Structures are given as structure tokens and as C-alpha cells.
């Protein structure tokens, strides 16, 4: 643990210098995202860093409404920033409201606040990815806050999107179904998808030539030969007219059904999505694409900073020594720790 503590302290110093936005996502619910968020907030406080923290979901409440279990509170240290609504603030004297947004959640105005003293807060989902990005950019520009920490939510890995985040921590462990080796495999798949190879600069340039694009397009010999406002999923026969070597870019998700449609073309093509959160295909379909000469690329990859494990879950526990050793062996190039043994 001493080695990883040093790695985290080094990481803390790195992320305070260049406006990093970091998301914490989980393979399942109750994998320890909030506990790890608190650990990051405490570590940043120790080096006198005052980050902004916000949530995609609802975090900081005493009770998990789905599992009916107690949840850890989110502890904000003096000088640190957060986004919430007034109806969730139990001790208004402990915070200072700095700005409000022209947007309401559950009938209450969304605001940016700074802690006057160490206090526990409850956070709320500000809204869509675009609005979250707008908030982050506005706050960073006006108040020069760095880093920004985003606490993810159940089945909302999309909020680890490259449109709003620079990198992620993935929370895994006993809450994920399966044996240790099966949990490791599921984690590997997510890491692989988030960090999958990016398309080349020529393709990126063509994609970015139309920033208003919504739907999908076909690129051939460096030029757009077809575009459609519908997504691949909405199209009946997106495979028609494809040539070997074509590249398809979609602004939406790549699902099993849309992937199978493209396989029907029997062409050696490439598919580009914005980032790994848009890959909604299962492993058999992904392997089938590869076997048939269909290559998958990202417009933007997302760095995975570390793997955070929780060996003790709500319904079961796993051997902590074996769990941690297996993950450290596989992810030796990044921060890997068990929440049950952090200092």
C-alpha cells in the first residue's frame, strides 16, 4: 500500500496543474465510487488543492434507495467546490454560494458553492453531457478550479465521455458478478474499449469538418461520399453501397444489431465512434467483426488512470489478497488498490 500511496500522491500533484477532469465509474452499482471519491478529496486537501466535485446521479445521501443500505457521505473539505441544489443543503452556514445556473433540478436552482468548513454534502445530477460540459468550462474559466472530479452513476458510463473527461478511474470488485478471473476479464474489456486505438488524423479531419453532424457518414478516399441524419440503428440497410476500405463514422452508439447490419455488407471496412463509451456491442459480436475484417476505432481514447477494487460487497466478499494480486499483475502499469486497505 505504501507504493500505491506514493503513486497517488504523485498523481494528485499532476492533476492540479492542467485543468484535468476526472470521472469515477463503476462496473456495477456499489463498487465503491463514493468511497474512492472521498479518498481523492482527502488526498487533494492534504496538498492544499481545492477541486470541484459533481455527480452524475444522486450522491451523498444516507441511504441507497435501490439497495436500502447505508451509503458513505461525501465529505468536502474547507475551500473545495461542489455543485448541488438548495433543497439538499442541511447546513447553509457551512457553505458559500458563488454562482447559480439558469437551470433547475427538481424545482430547485442549481448552484456552485465553496465549503467554508469541512462538511458533508449531497450532490445531484446537473443534466445532460452537454450541460455538464458547459458548467465545467464556465467554472474553470471563471474560478480557475482544477481538477474537476465527477462521481459516476449506475449504468451511466456515458458520462465518462471524452466530451467531458480527460481520464477515468474504474471501480470493480465483489459487486461485479462472477469469479475473480471473470471480474478481471470484464474490467479488461472496459479498459480495452476506453483506450482502444484512435483513427488516423486524416479521418479525424474529415469527421471534424462538419461539427454539426448528427447521424452517420461514409468516408472513402479521404472524402465524405454519403451522410445521413439517422443513426445506424435507425437505418434499415446502412450496409448498402459500401466498398472495401470505407470508413463509417457514427455519432451514436454501435450496438449488436447495427454491427450485424454492417457485417451483412461482407466488406472490409472500418467503424469509428466518438469514444469507448459508445461501444455497446458484446464480445462475441466484437470478435465476429474482427474475424470478418471490420476494424473498430475511436475518435478519442480515454485514459484509465487506475483500477479501484472493493473486496467486500453488500452480498459477498472475495479473497482480498488474491483479488488485489490478480489485478496488480494485469494492471501493473497503473494505480491499483483495494478500498478495504487504503490508509
Amino acid at each position: 500500500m505504501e507504493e500505491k500511496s506514493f503513486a497517488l500522491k504523485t498523481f494528485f500533484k499532476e492533476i492540479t496543474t492542467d485543468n484535468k477532469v476526472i470521472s469515477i465509474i463503476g462496473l456495477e452499482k456499489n463498487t465503491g465510487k463514493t468511497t474512492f471519491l472521498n479518498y481523492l478529496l482527502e488526498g487533494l486537501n492534504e496538498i492544499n488543492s481545492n477541486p470541484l466535485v459533481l455527480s452524475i446521479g444522486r450522491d451523498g445521501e444516507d441511504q441507497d434507495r435501490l439497495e436500502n443500505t447505508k451509503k458513505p457521505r461525501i465529505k468536502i473539505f474547507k475551500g473545495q467546490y461542489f455543485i448541488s441544489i438548495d433543497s439538499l443543503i442541511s447546513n447553509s452556514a457551512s457553505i458559500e454560494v458563488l454562482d447559480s445556473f439558469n437551470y433547475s433540478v427538481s424545482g430547485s436552482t442549481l448552484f456552485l458553492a465553496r465549503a467554508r468548513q469541512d462538511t458533508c454534502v449531497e450532490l445531484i445530477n446537473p443534466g445532460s453531457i452537454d450541460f455538464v460540459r458547459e458548467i465545467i468550462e464556465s467554472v474553470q474559466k471563471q474560478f480557475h478550479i482544477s481538477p474537476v472530479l465527477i462521481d459516476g452513476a449506475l449504468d451511466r458510463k456515458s458520462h465518462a465521455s471524452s466530451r467531458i473527461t480527460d481520464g477515468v478511474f474504474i471501480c470493480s470488485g465483489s459487486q461485479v458478478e462472477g469469479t475473480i478471473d471473470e471480474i478481471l476479464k470484464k474490467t479488461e474489456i472496459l479498459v480495452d474499449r476506453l483506450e482502444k486505438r484512435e483513427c488516423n488524423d486524416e479521418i479525424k479531419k474529415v469527421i471534424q469538418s462538419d461539427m454539426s453532424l448528427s447521424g452517420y457518414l461514409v468516408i472513402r478516399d479521404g472524402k465524405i461520399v454519403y451522410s445521413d441524419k439517422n443513426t445506424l440503428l435507425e437505418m434499415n440497410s446502412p450496409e448498402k453501397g459500401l466498398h472495401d476500405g470505407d470508413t463509417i463514422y457514427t455519432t451514436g452508439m454501435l450496438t449488436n444489431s447495427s454491427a450485424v447490419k454492417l457485417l451483412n455488407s461482407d466488406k472490409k471496412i472500418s467503424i469509428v465512434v466518438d469514444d469507448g463509451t459508445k461501444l455497446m456491442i458484446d464480445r462475441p459480436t466484437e470478435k465476429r467483426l474482427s474475424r470478418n475484417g471490420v476494424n473498430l476505432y475511436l475518435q478519442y481514447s480515454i485514459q484509465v488512470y487506475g483500477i479501484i477494487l472493493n473486496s467486500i460487497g453488500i452480498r459477498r466478499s472475495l479473497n482480498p489478497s488474491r483479488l488485489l494480486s490478480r489485478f496488480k499483475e494485469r494492471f501493473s502499469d497503473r494505480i491499483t488498490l483495494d478500498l478495504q486497505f487504503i490508509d
Side-chain angles (χ1 to χ4, degrees):
M1 184 58 212
E2 182 178 351
E3 177 185 350
K4 290 306 177 185
S5 292
F6 176 77
L8 271 173
K9 288 177 181 177
T10 302
F11 175 77
F12 290 153
K13 293 178 181 178
E14 291 175 352
I15 63 175
T16 58
T17 58
D18 51 3
N19 291 331
K20 290 288 187 184
V21 180
I22 299 158
S23 293
I24 305 169
I25 61 175
L27 281 178
E28 299 287 347
K29 189 171 175 59
N30 292 316
T31 50
K33 297 186 300 295
T34 303
T35 299
F36 183 62
L37 172 63
N38 281 334
Y39 185 62
L40 290 181
L41 290 170
E42 182 178 1
L44 289 167
N45 179 64
E46 289 175 358
I47 61 169
N48 299 313
S49 173
N50 294 318
L52 166 66
V53 59
L54 57 95
S55 173
I56 305 303
R58 183 168 177 177
D59 287 290
E61 70 270 39
D62 293 321
Q63 200 79 6
D64 187 304
R65 300 170 190 269
L66 291 178
E67 296 283 357
N68 196 30
T69 56
K70 286 188 176 182
K71 290 187 62 176
R73 304 295 307 277
I74 294 176
K75 184 177 181 181
I76 302 290
F77 292 86
K78 180 180 178 180
Q80 295 181 342
Y81 302 84
F82 66 97
I83 289 175
S84 190
I85 55 178
D86 51 14
S87 62
L88 298 181
I89 302 303
S90 58
N91 183 10
S92 58
S94 65
I95 69 167
E96 174 189 6
V97 176
L98 301 175
D99 198 4
S100 60
F101 304 96
N102 188 25
Y103 186 83
S104 63
V105 178
S106 301
S108 297
T109 301
L110 196 70
F111 61 75
L112 167 71
R114 178 170 53 201
R116 296 179 182 271
Q117 62 192 48
D118 298 354
T119 186
C120 290
V121 299
E122 191 170 343
L123 309 176
I124 195 85
N125 183 1
S128 67
I129 290 179
D130 287 334
F131 187 62
V132 171
R133 181 174 61 178
E134 182 182 326
I135 288 176
I136 291 172
E137 291 175 351
S138 173
V139 169
Q140 285 184 326
K141 181 178 180 180
Q142 185 175 356
F143 297 96
H144 309 289
I145 300 171
S146 179
V148 176
L149 306 177
I150 302 177
D151 191 350
L154 179 62
D155 293 333
R156 292 188 185 175
K157 298 184 185 73
S158 62
H159 285 82
S161 166
S162 59
R163 292 163 64 189
I164 59 173
T165 195
D166 296 297
V168 302
F169 281 96
I170 297 174
C171 293
S172 184
S174 60
Q175 285 295 112
V176 181
E177 187 176 339
T179 65
I180 288 178
D181 286 343
E182 288 169 339
I183 296 167
L184 177 60
K185 187 63 178 177
K186 291 178 182 179
T187 308
E188 286 178 331
I189 290 171
L190 180 55
V191 172
D192 175 69
R193 289 185 174 181
L194 293 176
E195 296 188 336
K196 188 176 286 292
R197 185 170 52 171
E198 294 183 356
C199 62
N200 63 47
D201 290 340
E202 180 183 2
I203 296 296
K204 283 187 182 182
K205 187 175 181 180
V206 174
I207 293 171
Q208 294 167 11
S209 65
D210 185 359
M211 299 305 293
S212 64
L213 175 69
S214 176
Y216 80 96
L217 53 80
V218 179
I219 302 171
R220 183 180 303 150
D221 299 325
K223 297 179 180 179
I224 298 174
V225 296
Y226 181 80
S227 64
D228 201 294
K229 294 299 182 182
N230 292 310
T231 66
L232 289 176
L233 189 60
E234 294 167 332
M235 293 295 291
N236 291 325
S237 304
E239 73 278 6
K240 288 185 177 180
L242 291 177
H243 294 186
D244 284 332
D246 283 354
T247 295
I248 289 185
Y249 164 70
T250 176
T251 59
M253 304 285 185
L254 179 66
T255 64
N256 286 334
S257 59
S258 55
V260 169
K261 289 178 184 178
L262 296 175
L263 279 167
N264 291 335
S265 72
D266 199 29
K267 301 296 183 182
K268 312 296 183 184
I269 62 173
S270 296
I271 303 173
V272 179
V273 296
D274 282 329
D275 57 58
T277 67
K278 297 293 184 74
L279 292 174
M280 303 300 289
I281 54 176
D282 57 28
R283 287 297 277 180
T285 301
E286 188 171 358
K287 290 179 179 179
R288 186 181 169 192
L289 288 170
S290 179
R291 285 196 305 269
N292 285 270
V294 177
N295 299 308
L296 293 179
Y297 296 99
L298 309 178
Q299 187 176 186
Y300 302 106
S301 61
I302 300 172
Q303 183 179 359
V304 177
Y305 295 124
I307 310 298
I308 311 304
L309 303 171
N310 193 350
S311 57
I312 301 176
I314 295 173
R315 302 181 188 88
R316 66 167 182 167
S317 298
L318 296 173
N319 184 310
S321 177
R322 184 165 182 269
L323 179 69
L324 187 58
S325 63
R326 291 288 287 119
F327 272 76
K328 279 187 175 182
E329 179 183 345
R330 172 59 183 83
F331 299 108
S332 59
D333 58 337
R334 62 194 89 210
I335 297 167
T336 308
L337 57 85
D338 187 335
L339 290 171
Q340 301 300 323
F341 301 100
I342 58 177
D343 50 16

